[in-house]
């Protein structure tokens, strides 16, 4: 991480926020904006806050505050100005004209971070689609922003090219969005095929969900390293917001033959741009098909309750709010909590980064997933090949042996199946 940071020239930025009193914790929102800026390799040179009853419709901040921000930006040598909330196209254009510096909002910043972090082809296409949807209504203001940066090439960089040029840009963007939509639909069909194959295996699926940087990827990697079928297939983990964007699925097989698929998903955050949620919806919807959710919480963060609320809200939007879950209070060691891991019903306090609580978590997962399953043996006559096929598709086959009387199967199956076919049990 340090070597990576040394190679990158950080852009100096000034953060601006408006506190209308409506936000639950405005100060924390500004702190999170600073963390997002750092994740986008920007150096926060200063912060300006204005307290108002309502934002200014044309400038977001008051006219007098605009002059103050411009003066302060010059003093700290800021290269960009970032606002805490989503700005309208008119506000971006007007602020850019007044401040004479590139203007970004929180949505723009998060989109930039996603563009930096995207690794797979699908994630890159999803981010591009979201960015183009964001740019479409903001073409005028963004062209002026780009020209202030000296021009970046392409059709967006020429200032004052006229209405005809704007319409040309708009058509190009709409055409590209249409192309991306088709490509993503094809990828969604491929994912649906893989999802069906996993469902046919009858191996239950577990999804890691939670606020960004809560430790989901750390838990994924530790479980893969200890119980994964391909133990070298870890995912990227870093102590930063949105370190991982790509959905990863790994097969976990603990020693007592109770396997499950583990899915790592993109982290959630407050005020996540709607365009990103829409673009990543097919990926995020992996959680809908999970048998169990692992809600990972950064217990060391004093705002962890608010982060849990954001996660719960997002899960409801994805129609995954009713899926059973285990709540993992991760990084409990940093909270000064002693005697960890601690299990309390469907909660566990642990420290995945220290390797603490992983075995206990695995046991909790298996107990829930396999609570209605029993391990038993059947001796199926050769003329009941249909039953052999049934158990192959609807149970986890632990052992299979051909003997003189038929096929001996040792399986982990649903309790109802064990009772239904009890005449063949050994």
């Amino acid at each position: 991480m340090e070597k990576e940071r040394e190679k990158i020239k950080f852009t100096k930025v000034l953060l601006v926020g408006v506190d209308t009193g409506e936000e639950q914790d405005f100060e924390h929102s500004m702190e999170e904006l600073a963390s997002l800026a750092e994740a986008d390799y920007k150096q926060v040179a200063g912060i300006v806050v204005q307290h108002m009853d309502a934002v200014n419709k044309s400038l977001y901040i008051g006219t007098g505050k605009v002059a103050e921000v411009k003066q302060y930006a010059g003093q700290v040598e800021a290269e960009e100005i970032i606002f805490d909330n989503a700005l309208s196209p008119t506000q971006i254009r007007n602020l850019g004209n007044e401040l004479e510096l590139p203007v970004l909002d929180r949505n723009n910043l998060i989109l930039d971070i996603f563009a930096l972090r995207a690794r797979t082809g699908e994630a890159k296409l999803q981010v591009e689609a979201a960015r183009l949807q964001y740019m479409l209504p903001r073409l005028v203001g963004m062209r002026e922003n780009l020209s202030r940066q000296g021009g970046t090439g392409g059709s967006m960089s020429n200032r004052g090219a006229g209405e005809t040029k704007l319409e040309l840009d708009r058509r190009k963007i709409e055409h590209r969005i249409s192309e991306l939509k088709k490509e993503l639909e094809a990828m969604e069909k491929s994912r649906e095929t893989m999802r069906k194959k996993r469902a046919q295996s009858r191996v239950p699926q577990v999804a890691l969900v939670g606020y960004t940087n809560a430790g989901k990827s750390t838990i994924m990697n530790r479980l893969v390293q200890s119980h994964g079928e391909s133990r070298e297939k870890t995912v990227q983990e870093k102590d930063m917001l949105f370190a991982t964007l790509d959905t990863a699925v790994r097969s976990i097989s603990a020693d007592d033959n109770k396997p499950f698929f583990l899915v790592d998903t993109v982290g959630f955050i407050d005020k996540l741009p709607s365009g990103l949620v829409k673009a990543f919806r097919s990926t995020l919807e992996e959680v809908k098909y999970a048998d169990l959710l692992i809600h990972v919480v950064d217990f060391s963060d004093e705002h962890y309750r608010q982060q849990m609320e954001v996660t719960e809200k997002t899960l409801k939007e994805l129609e995954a709010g009713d899926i059973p879950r285990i709540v993992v209070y991760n990084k409990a060691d940093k909270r000064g909590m002693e005697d960890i891991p601690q299990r309390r019903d469907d909660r566990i306090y642990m420290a995945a980064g220290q390797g603490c609580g992983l075995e206990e978590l695995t046991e909790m997962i298996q107990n829930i997933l396999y609570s209605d399953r029993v391990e038993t043996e059947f001796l199926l006559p050769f003329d009941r090949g249909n039953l052999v096929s049934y158990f192959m598709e609807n149970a986890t086959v632990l052992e299979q042996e051909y003997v003189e009387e038929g096929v001996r199967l040792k399986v982990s199956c649903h309790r109802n199946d064990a009772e239904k076919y009890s005449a063949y049990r050994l």
Side-chain angles (χ1 to χ4, degrees):
M1 176 65 184
E2 290 305 318
K3 288 182 180 178
E4 184 179 316
R5 290 168 68 95
E6 288 171 10
K7 294 177 184 177
I8 295 171
K9 180 184 179 297
F10 278 60
T11 303
K12 277 191 174 184
V13 297
L14 182 64
L15 307 184
V16 180
V18 173
D19 184 6
T20 61
E22 295 179 2
E23 202 150 352
Q24 186 177 356
D25 192 336
F26 174 77
E27 189 176 330
H28 173 58
S29 180
M30 291 302 294
E31 289 172 359
E32 192 166 75
L33 183 66
S35 296
L36 286 167
E38 185 179 347
D40 197 29
Y41 301 109
K42 299 181 188 298
Q43 178 187 344
V44 178
I47 299 175
V48 177
V49 170
Q50 183 170 24
H51 300 275
M52 302 171 70
D53 293 333
V55 298
N56 186 305
K57 289 184 179 179
S58 63
L59 288 164
Y60 189 70
I61 53 178
T63 52
K65 205 69 172 178
V66 172
E68 181 186 324
V69 168
K70 185 175 181 179
Q71 183 182 9
Y72 189 27
Q75 290 173 354
V76 297
E77 299 180 340
E79 301 165 78
E80 294 175 353
I81 299 178
I82 304 175
F83 287 77
D84 181 42
N85 264 312
L87 298 175
S88 70
T90 300
Q91 288 168 339
I92 287 182
R93 183 176 64 250
N94 293 342
L95 284 167
N97 289 337
E98 293 289 335
L99 298 172
E100 297 180 336
L101 280 174
V103 172
L104 291 76
D105 61 12
R106 187 184 180 100
N107 286 5
N108 200 180
L109 183 61
I110 293 175
L111 286 166
D112 281 351
I113 295 169
F114 270 56
L116 276 173
R117 302 283 183 269
R119 293 289 180 268
T120 64
E122 183 175 23
K124 290 176 181 177
L125 292 179
Q126 288 170 322
V127 173
E128 185 183 353
R131 293 185 89 178
L132 291 176
Q133 290 282 7
Y134 172 85
M135 287 167 61
L136 200 54
R138 297 171 172 83
L139 285 176
V140 177
M142 295 195 74
R143 173 181 281 110
E144 293 172 357
N145 271 347
L146 288 168
S147 69
R148 291 187 188 96
Q149 297 175 55
T152 56
S155 62
M156 296 294 291
S157 63
N158 302 315
R159 189 177 184 182
E163 190 65 25
T164 304
K165 190 71 167 69
L166 270 180
E167 288 304 318
L168 182 60
D169 288 344
R170 199 169 278 119
R171 283 198 295 272
K172 283 183 177 179
I173 289 175
E174 288 171 346
H175 178 67
R176 180 58 181 156
I177 290 172
S178 178
E179 288 181 333
L180 290 169
K181 186 178 179 181
K182 289 177 183 176
E183 290 184 63
L184 288 169
E185 284 175 353
M187 289 182 172
E188 168 59 13
K189 287 179 181 177
S190 175
R191 185 190 293 105
E192 181 66 25
T193 300
M194 293 173 66
R195 193 184 288 143
K196 285 179 179 177
K197 285 183 178 178
R198 291 200 301 271
Q200 288 171 358
S201 72
R202 307 300 294 180
V203 175
Q205 181 164 302
V206 180
L208 293 159
V209 298
Y211 213 76
T212 180
N213 207 31
K216 298 183 298 299
S217 297
T218 301
I219 290 175
M220 162 76 91
N221 285 342
R222 299 301 178 274
L223 291 180
V224 167
Q225 288 163 351
S226 56
H227 300 303
E229 288 188 1
S230 300
R231 301 190 179 187
E232 73 284 355
K233 286 192 174 181
T234 55
V235 297
Q236 185 181 25
E237 61 177 274
K238 285 185 181 179
D239 185 14
M240 64 160 51
L241 303 183
F242 297 118
T244 306
L245 289 189
D246 306 309
T247 297
V249 182
R250 301 289 184 266
S251 179
I252 305 296
S253 299
D255 296 335
D256 47 1
N257 290 310
K258 293 178 180 177
F260 56 90
F261 289 115
L262 187 62
V263 182
D264 185 22
T265 60
V266 63
F268 305 142
I269 196 168
D270 198 15
K271 305 177 191 174
L272 191 65
S274 58
L276 268 179
V277 175
K278 186 176 180 181
F280 274 78
R281 192 171 188 87
S282 61
T283 306
L284 289 170
E285 281 185 343
E286 283 286 349
V287 303
K288 277 176 56 176
Y289 303 95
D291 300 285
L292 176 68
L293 300 181
I294 309 299
H295 182 172
V296 184
V297 179
D298 181 355
F299 193 46
S300 70
D301 193 311
E302 60 180 307
H303 301 95
Y304 75 91
R305 292 187 188 278
Q306 292 167 233
Q307 295 174 358
M308 291 177 74
E309 288 174 7
V310 171
T311 298
E312 291 297 335
K313 180 183 175 184
T314 309
L315 288 173
K316 285 179 181 176
E317 289 174 0
L318 295 169
E319 301 174 14
D322 296 329
I323 298 174
R325 71 200 59 189
I326 294 170
V327 180
V328 172
Y329 290 94
N330 193 30
K331 309 181 189 180
D333 55 325
K334 295 182 180 179
R335 188 71 178 256
M337 190 174 183
E338 297 180 356
D339 301 321
I340 55 173
Q342 289 187 28
R343 292 167 57 172
R344 302 176 188 174
D345 299 325
D346 59 352
R347 294 169 291 158
I348 180 170
Y349 296 81
M350 56 182 283
Q354 309 301 319
C356 173
L358 294 164
E359 293 305 316
E360 289 79 1
L361 175 60
T362 303
E363 185 179 342
M364 288 176 73
I365 292 171
Q366 291 175 323
N367 287 344
I368 292 174
L369 293 178
Y370 289 89
S371 60
D372 59 354
R373 291 197 170 204
V374 293
E375 209 170 278
T376 188
E377 290 188 48
F378 294 98
L379 180 59
L380 305 173
F382 287 116
D383 62 354
R384 295 306 308 268
N386 61 318
L387 287 183
V388 176
S389 299
Y390 177 83
F391 283 111
M392 288 292 186
E393 292 180 7
N394 297 281
T396 302
V397 178
L398 306 175
E399 292 178 15
Q400 179 178 355
E401 182 185 9
Y402 290 91
V403 294
E404 188 175 338
E405 299 87 350
V407 182
R408 184 186 70 83
L409 292 181
K410 181 178 181 181
V411 300
S412 171
C413 66
H414 198 282
R415 195 179 305 275
N416 291 345
D417 282 341
E419 293 172 1
K420 183 177 181 181
Y421 300 106
S422 59
Y424 299 102
R425 290 175 71 175
L426 291 174

